[in-house]
Amino acid sequence: MSEIRRDPLTGRSVIVAPERGRALPSFSPVGALDGDMCPFCEGQEGIAGRELLAWRPAGSAPDGPGWRLRVVANREPALRVESHLGQPTDTLFQAFGGLGAHEVVIESPHHRASLATMTGEETGRVLWAWRERIRDLRRDVRLKTFVVVKNVGSLAGATLDHPHSQLLALPLVPQHVEDELAGASAYYERTSRCAFCDILDREIALDMRVIASDELSVALAPYAARVPIETWIMPRQHLAAGERLGDLMRRLHKVLVLPPYTLLLHTAPVGVDVSASYHWHLEIVPRLTPVSGLAWDGGIHINTVPPEDAAEALREAR
Amino acid sequence: MSEIRRDPLTGRSVIVAPERGRALPSFSPVGALDGDMCPFCEGQEGIAGRELLAWRPAGSAPDGPGWRLRVVANREPALRVESHLGQPTDTLFQAFGGLGAHEVVIESPHHRASLATMTGEETGRVLWAWRERIRDLRRDVRLKTFVVVKNVGSLAGATLDHPHSQLLALPLVPQHVEDELAGASAYYERTSRCAFCDILDREIALDMRVIASDELSVALAPYAARVPIETWIMPRQHLAAGERLGDLMRRLHKVLVLPPYTLLLHTAPVGVDVSASYHWHLEIVPRLTPVSGLAWDGGIHINTVPPEDAAEALREAR
């Protein structure tokens, strides 16, 4: 069983989830599984597990072939809805039960599919699955924060090649999520305006870091980009990001050959009213080199490519 | 010229330091330079640069061979003392000049040396160099925060094998440093006690996560360890950590074969009085797998090895 430990100095939360019966880690390079033994391919539904949500033709049977997208529970979940949060008894060393959810969105039945080659309908379906699962999990009032992460390539920590993303539901609001909300709230209190809206307005007026935009969404290189070619997608309307995601990934694949990357969905936790000051958005972080020790765990990033140069290259790539 | 940009949402600072004349990054695995062309080996002093500090026999000439340790300026510094901090003119997109220092401590003349094989005197000398350089840089009142980082292995972001560490002096206090200070201060205000002292007392009494200790310093696996085999060295007295560092690194090398790791010196910034609530310490983070997207930049860590198991393995390794 896992537990959530709070660091007595910084207050940061860490999930300690021992892998059953596994010895101390040995140092060996991470290898991706071969396509033949991929548990996420069509026909392997029994191995991947029971579907919590699926997109499949009317009349096709659950947990069988024929699907276009499936969501299943992670086979080695870091958190479980069956756990209890509990109350820490120690004031210095605080531990909570490993309550939460850990799901996998299998984004396509095809092992070699990618967001860069999917149709707009297909990328839209991935966002639909994230939204539907978050909507369902929000009904459990014990769950506070929902994080979606997609890792592509072994440098991004991926251990499977098959296109998939992970959804983690947490029983608390982690420090880094609180920091972003606090920043947006502080801006709102100071200016009575939404920081996200102001950033969008200014970026469009400046036209130096915008990659592509229409009336529905904007893709841009953020002003304080942490790594080369970091990009964000900010929706003007919520349903719009699916098409934009496909377009941006195609541009990324033109500028970088088969880039390893991490995609993160940033969305507001429940229980705090930030509707006036916070917008959900996507952050796409190419993982071209290992994280330097200086930047490890929220440290100092040194970015060698100004976001203005990144935006120019991505604007021209189509 | 580099600049320090502040993210308008989170307030985090990023150093944007374009590499002169270099095109957009292509995705290629990071390779370490061969020993033959190593700029840090003895005899290459002209390439490594003028020494800011050195440990060499009495009478030997500066910037020539015969040294045991040298500190030089980074050849591609992210920050420079010649820069000006300036005042940002834009309220949303704030940029400061790339003021600061970026130095390299060449820890040994020998290409294949490591903290695990150095003598206590040699590891003590490395800590002496960090302390001396920070002491000197602190005289520049524009510099606020001093970070020492040592990356070993390409998974930790190292591009050179020769044993070295980097010292970065910043003109501001980054968010993650402020968070740690704030946590320690909050604990002090609540309890009138130092959190570091309380952690040490409790860890020694519990005897579950202590790896080794004497009257001078303690090596332990922290309660909320973020990655397998994370260890901290907490000095009871300031001069004591050198011997402990060598001992701990030898233990790490027994438990993990040639582990890639990041070592970080945490020390209080200038201009804030935290002498009652804060202790400097070393954090040693094995980098056995790439940082998962979930944990990227201060996100959520999932640690599969409880620190109690890590401490047990390290206690037995000698």
Side-chain angles (χ1 to χ4, degrees), chain A residues 5 9 12 14-15 17-19 24 90 95 151 154 183 202 223 225-226 287 290-291 293 297-298 301 303-304 308 313, chain B residues 5 9 14-15 17-19 24 90 95 151 154 183 202 223 225-226 287 290-291 293 297-298 300-301 303-304 308 313:
Chain A
R5 295 189 177 190
L9 285 171
R12 74 179 152 239
V14 171
I15 302 172
E19 291 176 23
L24 285 181
D90 194 310
N151 294 319
S154 57
R202 283 289 303 283
Y223 175 70
R226 291 159 288 184
R287 303 285 301 273
V291 174
D297 197 33
H301 290 272
N303 182 357
T304 54
E308 295 75 20
Chain B
R5 294 189 179 191
L9 286 171
V14 171
I15 302 172
E19 291 176 21
L24 285 182
D90 194 310
N151 294 320
S154 58
R202 283 289 302 284
Y223 175 71
R226 292 159 287 186
R287 304 285 301 274
V291 175
D297 198 33
I300 300 151
H301 291 271
N303 182 358
T304 55
E308 294 76 19

Side-chain angles (χ1 to χ4, degrees), chain A residues 78-99:
Chain A
L79 301 171
R80 296 166 196 267
V81 287
E82 298 82 12
S83 297
H84 297 281
L85 191 59
Q87 261 303 331
T89 49
D90 194 310
T91 52
L92 195 61
F93 299 129
Q94 302 192 327
F96 298 87
L99 170 70

Side-chain angles (χ1 to χ4, degrees), chain A:
Chain A
M1 294 295 281
S2 68
E3 62 179 25
I4 301 171
R5 295 189 177 190
R6 187 163 281 174
D7 182 74
L9 285 171
T10 59
R12 74 179 152 239
S13 302
V14 171
I15 302 172
V16 178
E19 291 176 23
R20 215 170 311 192
R22 210 171 285 190
L24 285 181
S26 57
F27 171 49
S28 61
V30 174
L33 286 181
D34 197 80
D36 289 342
M37 50 187 296
C38 173
F40 293 165
C41 277
E42 193 168 16
Q44 306 296 311
E45 293 79 13
I47 298 169
R50 274 196 49 233
E51 62 199 38
L52 304 164
L53 177 72
W55 186 288
R56 43 169 77 252
S60 80
D63 298 326
W67 49 280
R68 311 309 301 157
L69 175 150
R70 292 181 89 222
V71 183
V72 297
N74 191 306
R75 285 190 296 171
E76 292 188 331
L79 301 171
R80 296 166 196 267
V81 287
E82 298 82 12
S83 297
H84 297 281
L85 191 59
Q87 261 303 331
T89 49
D90 194 310
T91 52
L92 195 61
F93 299 129
Q94 302 192 327
F96 298 87
L99 170 70
H102 194 174
E103 303 182 352
V104 177
V105 179
I106 309 171
E107 299 165 350
S108 164
H110 304 301
H111 192 78
R112 304 250 167 260
S114 92
L115 292 181
T117 56
M118 287 181 184
T119 65
E121 196 185 338
E122 287 168 327
T123 50
R125 212 176 274 156
V126 174
L127 271 75
W128 163 83
W130 296 346
R131 203 168 52 233
E132 283 303 304
R133 287 309 303 148
I134 291 174
R135 197 173 283 171
D136 183 43
L137 288 163
R138 281 171 72 106
R139 295 186 310 181
D140 185 335
V141 295
R142 303 171 304 168
L143 305 180
K144 306 297 182 203
T145 306
F146 305 90
V147 181
V148 174
V149 62
K150 178 175 170 62
N151 294 319
V152 173
S154 57
L155 269 172
T159 50
L160 284 166
D161 280 338
H162 195 112
H164 71 287
S165 36
Q166 294 180 71
L167 168 59
L168 200 71
L170 298 154
L172 45 81
V173 183
Q175 196 61 50
H176 71 290
V177 175
E178 262 185 9
D179 287 348
E180 192 179 70
L181 294 175
S185 290
Y187 187 88
Y188 184 78
E189 275 165 36
R190 211 163 56 235
T191 63
S192 298
R193 298 174 57 82
C194 165
F196 290 84
C197 293
D198 276 8
I199 290 171
L200 277 185
D201 288 351
R202 283 289 303 283
E203 289 292 13
I204 287 163
L206 285 171
D207 201 22
M208 284 160 63
R209 286 177 291 269
V210 170
I211 297 158
S213 74
D214 57 26
E215 69 277 16
L216 299 176
S217 68
V218 177
L220 54 81
Y223 175 70
R226 291 159 288 184
V227 294
I229 330 289
E230 178 175 353
T231 54
W232 293 2
I233 295 176
M234 298 173 80
R236 306 201 206 209
Q237 294 180 18
H238 284 202
L239 295 170
E243 288 274 353
R244 177 63 63 221
L245 182 56
D247 171 62
L248 181 64
M249 296 315 298
R250 278 183 285 280
R251 290 172 189 269
L252 267 181
H253 279 249
K254 285 264 167 66
V255 170
L256 304 166
V257 179
L258 289 178
Y261 67 89
T262 286
L263 182 156
L264 288 154
L265 170 68
H266 283 226
T267 183
V270 299
V272 284
D273 180 17
V274 289
S275 52
S277 63
Y278 192 81
H279 284 197
W280 73 270
H281 61 281
L282 298 173
E283 301 189 357
I284 295 131
V285 185
R287 303 285 301 273
L288 303 178
T289 54
V291 174
S292 152
L294 208 54
W296 193 79
D297 197 33
I300 301 151
H301 290 272
I302 300 176
N303 182 357
T304 54
V305 177
E308 295 75 20
D309 295 354
E312 188 183 353
L314 288 163
R315 260 199 309 271
E316 286 164 11
R318 340 179 21 120

